[in-house]
């Protein structure tokens, strides 16, 4: 604590008064109580009024619709889905699609954003200017416009399925998306996967051991042969003993489109690209600000300790910069997730499109569906920011700051 | 008196008082405001907040779904009408920015009946998926946006369909180069459709009942749907047939695309109002009937004034020179005169907007009057 002070005497009533009414005295307490009562009454009035209006108009209400048959198709479902499934299933399908786009978008945006942000700080004149131009162009154009550009402009240049661009007959690119051979699991799949899991475990243990040796005794252990052996060698031995775990089934053109194979639809690609390219421009500026916020002396101190440039960045500058970067970075992650609700503009079946769009207009239950959808986005946002706070706390722990 | 920072409400030079040791730069909000500032806060911010809240409450509480639509419309001085975002022939702005179309004419007719002025309409463009919410919430008074009459919309959505101004059915638009001649050859095709339409559900039903696979790509607006179809993302574009003809005009080369012969559903399109206001329901319903009856009685925009002098008792009743049928609706005696003078009868509107007199050139077909081989049949005005 900056200034040593005497602890205030434990007084209950003044404390309560301060909590409730600031220094305005009991009048303030009364004011707060009136305000709370007012807010509660307001909330009650809104709900009651909406109910009364809906009943007067005989609009269906309640959550019974969730078990009704949806009766419409969805172009991408991560779980088995058909038209005869219920609206609940549609909800899950949409939610998973939203999560997929958000997760991949966040990862991609982070990578691009860090690259551009570091590029802008580079002593290389051309690189710095290019990175600067990227940021200025991308962040100043509306996202919806960029989304439609990626979708329509890029889609229009791709050939139809019969004239697909192909790579050896295993990978196809056309205006229906990106089709790759589908992996088919064999009997030896699970043993090999198990071996890989064990390998990962061994690698982590080796890493922890090496770290302990470094910090406790200052010894540097060479662990890469162990890591390589456990990650690659172990599964390989099992695979050689039991046979290949996977084989690939090539897609074939049949009628209008390819049958078999895994297909990534263009809507997904366009949405992910647009979201991550757009968000990356903001992340780049955050990264730049974060690094500039670290005192130059830190870099010099690093090199005077004999650390290489990369090691100084990695061990000294970035951990300190991260404390500045993380909170606004969290905001960008949340923005990306929420912006993914633009999906319907390019026909990607995200939560907002299939649930707050199609389901809403089929059932007309706007209140229930908007409440559920808002709750879900809120939950995703809260979980993301909790995870980021936890990460920030870990980083802070590492710096011995808290 | 200490100088006060107007932003933080803290003295410019923090004076050490009992517990001023702020924990590491964090300022506890509201705890230590300067008295002068507190007065300002209380005086204006609080008051404004309170006024805003009260206004909000008044707005939400008083906004009941009451049976007041006619009065609301008259007080406002214009009708609020939900239309499409641009579907030539049905509802689209022309080059001067005036909304025109078959669906637009229904709203203009209602405005003519109320105000004797078909221009007193505010058009609200709505996507398929937003239209019902806009009507339920009272943002619009009538929805006239190529909307299919179905039982669930008529009941659980809290709406009333006032009649049918266009009998339609769903079809498919494909590129001629695909060499597809029937919808039954579309097994495995990708189909573009607009979300929140009956078309989306009919599509699923049709492919399922014919044991065909398909991929559906659903967009929020017609423009995006058509662009995606044009870029080659989809093999077919599905919608009500009249809309296929209309959207085809927007394509770069309309003649490269053909509508397949199969009509896979019934799509009776008509104007819609909210539940709970029978008078308003009657007004919109009888405005449409009046247009159809006027065609049947051969009352046109041109001859309506001369028809006023006729001896025919039926025409006299319809035009209000005999009886008070219009007043029973809450309108004036000459309501039909106003409608026909303002927008013409149903046949005139059809010809001008979607029929032979328009770019669409759709034949009357099912939409002919009942006594001419069609199914347009309006109850009598008497
Ligand atoms: N009649 C159907 C479909 C109506 C519909 O929205 N069709 C589209 C076809 S592309 C349309 O008219 N869109 C015009 C627009 O969104 O502005 C329904 O009521 O659900």
């Amino acid at each position: 604590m900056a200034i040593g002070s005497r602890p205030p005497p434990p007084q209950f009533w003044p404390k309560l008064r301060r909590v409730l009414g600031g220094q305005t005295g009991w009048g303030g307490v009364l004011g707060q109580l009136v305000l709370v009562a007012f807010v509660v009454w307001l909330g009650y009035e809104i709900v009651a009024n909406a109910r009364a209006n809906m009943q007067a108009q005989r609009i269906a209400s309640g959550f019974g619709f969730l078990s009704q048959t949806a009766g419409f198709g969805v172009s991408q479902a991560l779980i088995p889905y058909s038209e005869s499934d219920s609206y609940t299933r549609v909800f899950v399908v949409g939610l998973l699609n939203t999560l997929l786009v958000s997760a991949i978008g966040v990862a991609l945006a982070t990578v691009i954003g860090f690259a551009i942000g570091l590029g802008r700080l580079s002593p290389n004149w051309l690189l710095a200017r290019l990175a600067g131009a990227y940021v200025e162009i991308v962040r100043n154009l509306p996202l919806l416009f960029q989304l439609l550009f990626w979708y329509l402009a890029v889609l229009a240049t791709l050939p139809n399925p019969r004239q697909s661009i192909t790579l050896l007959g295993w990978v196809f690119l056309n205006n229906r998306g990106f089709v790759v051979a589908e992996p088919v699991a064999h009997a030896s799949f699970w043993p090999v996967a198990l071996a890989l899991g064990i390998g990962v475990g061994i690698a982590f243990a080796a890493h922890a051991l090496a770290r302990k040796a470094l910090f406790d005794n200052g010894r540097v252990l060479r662990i890469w042969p162990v890591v390589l052996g456990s990650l690659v060698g172990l599964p390989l031995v099992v695979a050689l003993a039991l046979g290949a775990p996977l084989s690939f089934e090539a897609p074939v053109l049949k009628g209008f489109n390819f049958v078999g194979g895994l297909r990534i639809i263009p809507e997904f690609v366009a949405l992910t690209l647009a979201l991550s390219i757009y968000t990356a421009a903001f992340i780049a500026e955050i990264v730049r600000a974060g690094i500039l916020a670290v005192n130059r002396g830190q870099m010099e101190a690093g090199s005077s300790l004999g650390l290489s440039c990369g090691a100084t960045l990695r061990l000294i500058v970035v951990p300190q910069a991260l404390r500045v970067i993380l909170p606004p970075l969290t905001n960008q992650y949340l923005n990306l997730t929420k912006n993914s609700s633009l999906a319907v503009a390019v026909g990607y079946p995200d939560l907002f499109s299939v649930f707050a769009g199609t389901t809403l207009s089929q059932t007309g239950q706007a209140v229930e569906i908007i409440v559920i959808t808002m709750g879900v986005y809120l939950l995703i946002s809260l979980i993301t920011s909790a995870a980021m706070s936890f990460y920030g706390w870990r980083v802070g722990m590492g710096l011995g700051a808290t | 008196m200490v100088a006060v920072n107007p932003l933080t409400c803290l003295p410019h030079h923090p004076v050490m008082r009992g517990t001023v040791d702020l924990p590491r730069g964090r300022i506890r909000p509201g705890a230590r405001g300067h008295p002068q500032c507190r007065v300002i806060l209380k005086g204006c911010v609080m008051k404004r907040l309170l006024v805003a809240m009260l206004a909000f409450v008044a707005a939400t509480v008083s906004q009941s779904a009451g049976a007041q639509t006619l009065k609301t419309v008259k007080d406002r001085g214009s009708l609020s009408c939900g239309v499409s975002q641009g579907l030539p022939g049905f509802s689209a702005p022309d080059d001067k920015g005036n909304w025109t179309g078959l669906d637009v004419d229904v709203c203009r007719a209602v405005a003519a009946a109320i105000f004797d002025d078909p221009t007193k309409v505010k058009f609200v463009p709505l996507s398929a998926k937003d239209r019902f919410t806009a009507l339920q919430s009272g943002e619009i008074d009538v929805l006239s946006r190529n909307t299919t009459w179905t039982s669930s919309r008529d009941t659980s959505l809290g709406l009333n369909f006032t009649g049918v101004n266009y009998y339609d059915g769903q079809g498919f638009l494909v590129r001629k180069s695909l060499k597809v001649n029937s919808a039954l050859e579309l097994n495995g095709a990708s189909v573009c459709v607009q979300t929140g339409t009956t078309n989306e559900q009919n599509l699923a039903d049709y492919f399922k009942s014919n044991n065909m696979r398909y991929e559906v790509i659903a967009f929020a607006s017609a423009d995006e749907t058509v662009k995606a179809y044009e870029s080659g993302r989809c093999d077919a574009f599905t919608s009500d047939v009249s809309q296929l003809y209309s959207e085809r005009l927007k394509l770069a080369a309309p003649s490269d695309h053909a509508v397949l012969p199969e009509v896979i559903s019934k799509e009776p399109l008509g104007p819609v109002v909210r539940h709970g206001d029978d008078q308003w329901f009657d007004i919109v319903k009888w405005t449409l009937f009046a247009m159809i009856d006027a065609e049947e009685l051969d009352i046109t925009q041109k001859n309506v004034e001369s028809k006023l002098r006729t001896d025919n008792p039926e025409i006299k009743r319809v035009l209000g020179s005999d009886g008070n049928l219009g007043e029973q609706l809450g309108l004036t005696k000459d309501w039909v005169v106003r409608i026909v003078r303002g927008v013409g009868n149903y046949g005139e509107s059809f010809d001008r907007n979607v029929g032979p007199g328009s770019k669409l050139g759709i034949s009357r077909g099912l939409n002919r009057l009942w006594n001419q081989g069609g199914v347009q049949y309006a109850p009598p005005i008497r």
Side-chain angles (χ1 to χ4, degrees):
Chain A
M1 208 152 276
I3 309 158
S5 62
R6 78 194 141 80
Q11 289 169 314
F12 178 69
W13 288 111
K15 234 181 179 169
L16 180 72
R17 212 178 71 174
R18 205 165 59 226
V19 169
L20 289 175
Q23 289 187 338
T24 48
W26 289 108
V29 176
L30 192 70
Q32 305 263 3
L33 289 180
V34 170
L35 188 68
V36 169
F38 179 74
V39 169
V40 170
W41 172 75
L42 189 69
Y44 170 78
E45 203 61 44
I46 290 174
V47 171
N49 186 51
R51 280 194 109 142
N53 275 347
M54 280 166 47
Q55 254 155 25
Q57 290 189 42
R58 285 179 287 126
I59 296 177
S61 61
F63 293 90
F65 74 94
L66 282 169
S67 57
Q68 288 164 14
T69 303
F72 64 94
V74 171
S75 59
Q76 174 189 304
L78 300 179
I79 53 172
Y81 170 80
S82 83
E83 291 76 19
S84 35
D85 282 322
S86 68
Y87 286 121
T88 310
R89 191 99 178 165
V90 167
F91 169 79
V92 177
V93 166
L95 178 60
L96 290 177
N97 286 344
T98 290
L99 291 177
L100 181 72
V101 147
S102 306
I104 297 189
V106 158
L108 213 59
T110 310
V111 173
I112 305 174
F114 270 76
I116 300 284
L118 293 176
R120 223 181 159 182
L121 290 171
S122 149
N124 181 328
W125 185 87
L126 184 66
L127 192 64
R129 285 307 131 103
L130 281 178
Y134 173 96
V135 170
E136 289 310 332
I137 293 175
V138 167
R139 74 171 172 183
N140 287 315
L141 291 174
L143 176 56
L144 183 60
F145 171 80
Q146 295 187 35
L147 181 56
L148 290 175
F149 167 80
W150 286 111
Y151 188 57
L152 293 173
V154 175
L155 198 61
T157 60
L158 292 175
N160 69 36
R162 287 166 213 204
Q163 279 128 27
S164 299
I165 304 166
T166 174
L167 202 82
L168 305 171
W170 292 97
V171 178
F172 298 89
L173 182 65
N174 56 43
N175 58 18
R176 300 301 150 78
F178 194 61
V179 193
V180 294
E182 188 175 7
V184 184
H186 290 295
S188 65
F189 179 78
W190 287 112
V192 174
L194 187 70
L196 187 67
I198 295 175
V200 170
I202 295 178
F204 267 111
H207 177 74
L209 209 69
R211 193 179 157 86
K212 194 167 155 46
L214 178 68
F215 277 76
D216 290 355
N217 317 326
R219 273 190 308 130
V220 176
L221 289 187
R222 215 162 46 110
I223 57 163
W224 68 261
V226 182
V227 171
L228 194 70
S230 58
L231 282 185
V232 178
L234 200 59
L236 199 66
V237 169
V238 178
L240 286 178
L242 298 177
L246 292 174
S247 70
F248 289 88
E249 195 182 295
V252 278
L253 187 65
K254 221 186 212 169
F256 292 98
N257 207 342
F258 283 90
V259 179
L262 279 181
R263 195 153 63 91
I264 303 173
I265 56 176
E267 290 75 31
F268 173 78
V269 178
L271 184 64
T272 318
L273 267 187
L275 285 175
S276 44
I277 286 176
Y278 179 75
T279 313
F282 295 90
I283 294 184
E285 288 297 274
I286 291 168
V287 168
R288 189 167 73 107
I291 290 183
L292 288 179
V294 179
N295 200 315
R296 284 186 68 92
Q298 299 286 318
M299 199 75 195
E300 286 156 13
S303 51
S304 71
L305 282 175
L307 290 175
S308 72
C309 195
T312 318
L313 256 183
R314 193 163 50 84
L315 296 174
I316 297 183
V317 178
V318 170
Q320 295 185 73
L322 271 185
R323 294 175 65 182
V324 179
I325 291 175
L326 281 180
L329 187 65
T330 309
N331 279 342
Q332 293 306 327
Y333 288 176
L334 301 185
N335 279 347
L336 188 144
T337 310
K338 288 178 285 181
N339 286 341
S340 72
S341 60
L342 287 174
V344 68
V346 293
Y348 178 76
D350 79 324
L351 179 66
F352 203 80
S353 163
V354 298
F355 196 64
T358 309
T359 303
L360 194 161
S361 69
Q362 282 187 14
T363 61
Q365 296 197 252
V367 176
E368 291 83 356
I369 289 181
I370 293 298
V371 166
I372 296 179
T373 312
M374 269 179 5
V376 168
Y377 278 101
L378 187 67
L379 200 66
I380 299 177
S381 293
L382 288 178
I383 292 174
T384 311
S385 61
M388 293 295 282
S389 300
F390 177 72
Y391 181 62
W393 175 76
R394 284 269 313 269
V395 170
M397 289 280 278
L399 293 175
T402 333
Chain B
M1 177 138 283
V2 197
V4 174
N5 180 339
L7 289 179
T8 58
C9 282
L10 286 171
H12 262 321
H13 306 286
V15 262
M16 298 302 279
R17 266 189 275 145
T19 53
V20 176
D21 50 336
L22 301 176
R24 268 209 237 133
R26 238 185 69 207
I27 297 173
R28 276 206 209 119
R32 295 178 189 81
H34 187 273
Q36 191 192 344
C37 234
R38 249 184 274 131
V39 174
I40 300 174
L41 263 181
K42 257 192 172 165
C44 47
V45 180
M46 286 300 274
K47 211 188 263 168
R48 267 192 225 163
L49 207 69
L50 216 67
V51 170
M53 278 181 178
L54 285 178
F56 179 65
V57 174
T60 45
V61 174
S62 67
Q63 220 263 312
S64 71
Q68 294 276 341
T69 315
L70 179 62
K71 188 173 176 304
T72 317
V73 170
K74 278 183 172 165
D75 289 349
R76 199 194 298 127
S78 72
L79 174 77
S80 179
C81 171
V83 288
S84 79
Q85 291 163 313
L87 189 65
F90 287 83
S91 44
D94 64 12
D95 22 320
K96 287 185 224 67
N98 294 322
W99 283 88
T100 53
L102 190 71
D103 287 343
V104 164
D105 278 353
V106 174
C107 285
R108 292 210 185 279
V110 175
I114 298 171
F115 300 111
D116 197 10
D117 182 352
T119 63
K120 291 213 165 136
V121 190
K122 190 178 123 249
F123 291 99
V124 181
L126 295 166
S127 73
K129 78 179 175 65
D130 296 333
R131 57 188 156 168
F132 301 123
T133 319
L135 184 60
Q136 289 171 337
S137 68
E139 191 189 339
I140 53 174
D141 308 311
V142 190
L143 175 71
S144 184
R145 187 207 170 281
N146 48 329
T147 298
T148 305
W149 187 350
T150 70
S151 66
S152 63
R153 288 174 177 179
D154 208 350
T155 56
S156 68
L157 262 62
L159 308 175
N160 274 331
F161 282 78
T162 62
V164 177
N165 69 333
Y166 192 101
Y167 288 94
D168 209 344
Q170 183 174 341
F172 294 91
L173 186 73
V174 295
R175 246 168 284 271
K176 284 183 184 160
S177 61
L178 271 187
K179 306 239 180 318
V180 169
N181 298 314
S182 156
L184 292 168
E185 294 167 25
L186 287 176
N187 191 5
S190 299
V191 185
C192 283
V193 70
Q194 192 165 348
T195 56
T197 59
T198 45
N199 308 133
E200 203 176 1
Q201 292 162 293
N202 295 333
L203 177 71
D205 289 358
Y206 183 72
F207 277 79
K208 183 158 189 172
S209 55
N210 286 298
N211 277 319
M212 301 195 295
R213 284 182 313 106
Y214 73 109
E215 175 190 43
V216 57
I217 322 289
F219 298 86
S221 84
D223 280 349
E224 286 149 4
T225 320
V226 173
K227 280 211 193 84
Y229 165 72
E230 193 167 25
S231 74
R233 175 64 181 92
C234 299
D235 301 297
F237 164 43
T238 187
S239 170
D240 302 345
V241 173
S242 67
Q243 290 139 40
L244 293 180
Y245 285 118
S246 174
E247 298 290 358
R248 186 166 67 166
L249 293 178
K250 295 185 190 163
L251 298 174
S255 55
D256 289 354
H257 304 263
V259 175
L260 295 179
E262 283 83 0
V263 172
I264 66 169
S265 70
K266 288 190 289 187
E267 307 287 334
L269 312 177
V272 200
V273 296
R274 275 183 294 282
H275 273 171
D277 187 345
D278 289 345
Q279 185 196 28
W280 186 246
F281 181 32
D282 288 342
I283 290 176
V284 178
K285 177 167 55 184
W286 283 96
T287 301
L288 177 59
F289 289 159
M291 289 175 75
I292 298 170
D293 280 330
E295 183 186 7
E296 193 175 330
L297 295 171
D298 195 31
I299 307 171
T300 65
Q301 211 164 6
K302 263 209 206 94
N303 71 13
V304 59
E305 307 289 345
S306 60
K307 288 266 179 189
L308 278 172
R309 293 185 296 273
T310 175
D311 283 339
N312 179 326
E314 193 174 4
I315 294 183
K316 277 175 84 173
R317 228 178 7 248
V318 168
L319 294 184
S321 40
D322 182 22
N324 65 342
L325 297 173
E327 281 162 0
Q328 292 170 0
L329 274 173
L331 301 170
T332 54
K333 278 185 181 168
D334 64 342
W335 64 294
V336 180
V337 180
R338 293 175 168 199
I339 292 171
V340 178
R341 204 195 294 134
V343 298
N345 66 36
Y346 178 76
E348 289 176 287
S349 173
F350 193 101
D351 287 349
R352 181 171 69 226
N353 294 305
V354 296
S358 72
K359 271 191 247 164
L360 285 175
I362 299 175
S363 72
R364 278 289 285 269
L366 268 186
N367 292 293
R368 276 193 285 263
L369 293 183
W370 62 280
N371 51 11
Q372 292 168 18
V375 295
Q376 280 295 5
Y377 182 109
I381 295 178
R382 68 173 308 138

